[in-house]
Amino acid sequence: MLQYLGIPPVDTSLANNKLAGWDWPGIVLFSPLLETLLLGGAFKLMASRLDRRLAALLAALLLAGMHEWYAGGWGWVVLAPLCVFTAPFALTRRFRDAALLGGLTHAFHNFYACILISWFPA
């Protein structure tokens, strides 16, 4: 989706893992918001026909596949965190609460990942 918006793929090689100052808002604010909406929408579509737990797992797999397509290798890296981010959708009946909890957890995860990348460059 980002490629269609004209945003080039992220360089995922360990040789160039430094973050520019303008990367932070996109990684910590924009990405969790967009991805939470995608996760929630995919979950909602699938939960109408499938068990809520299975729908959450499939939504996580779908978004992991999107990460893999956008930045090769990252699908496997983000699969476990995406399962955590989709868990509120399976466990909470109110969509707004699940989206808020999953989105904030996602933003916090991206925040400390950015700190680690900035403090410990390859």
Side-chain angles (χ1 to χ4, degrees), residues 13 16 21-22 37 44 46-48 51 63 77 81 85 87 89 91 97 100 113 118 121:
S13 67
N16 187 19
W22 52 269
L37 292 174
K44 207 164 191 175
M46 289 185 259
S48 65
D51 178 66
L63 201 59
V77 173
F85 305 151
F89 290 104
L91 302 172
D97 294 344
L100 182 64
S118 296

Side-chain angles (χ1 to χ4, degrees), residues 34-78:
L34 178 65
E35 291 177 357
T36 299
L37 292 174
L38 288 171
L39 278 172
F43 170 79
K44 207 164 191 175
L45 285 173
M46 289 185 259
S48 65
R49 296 175 187 249
L50 303 171
D51 178 66
R52 295 175 68 82
R53 294 169 294 192
L54 180 59
L57 177 62
L58 290 175
L61 284 169
L62 177 70
L63 201 59
M66 292 175 70
H67 276 83
E68 184 68 31
W69 173 67
Y70 183 68
W74 278 105
W76 295 107
V77 173
V78 299

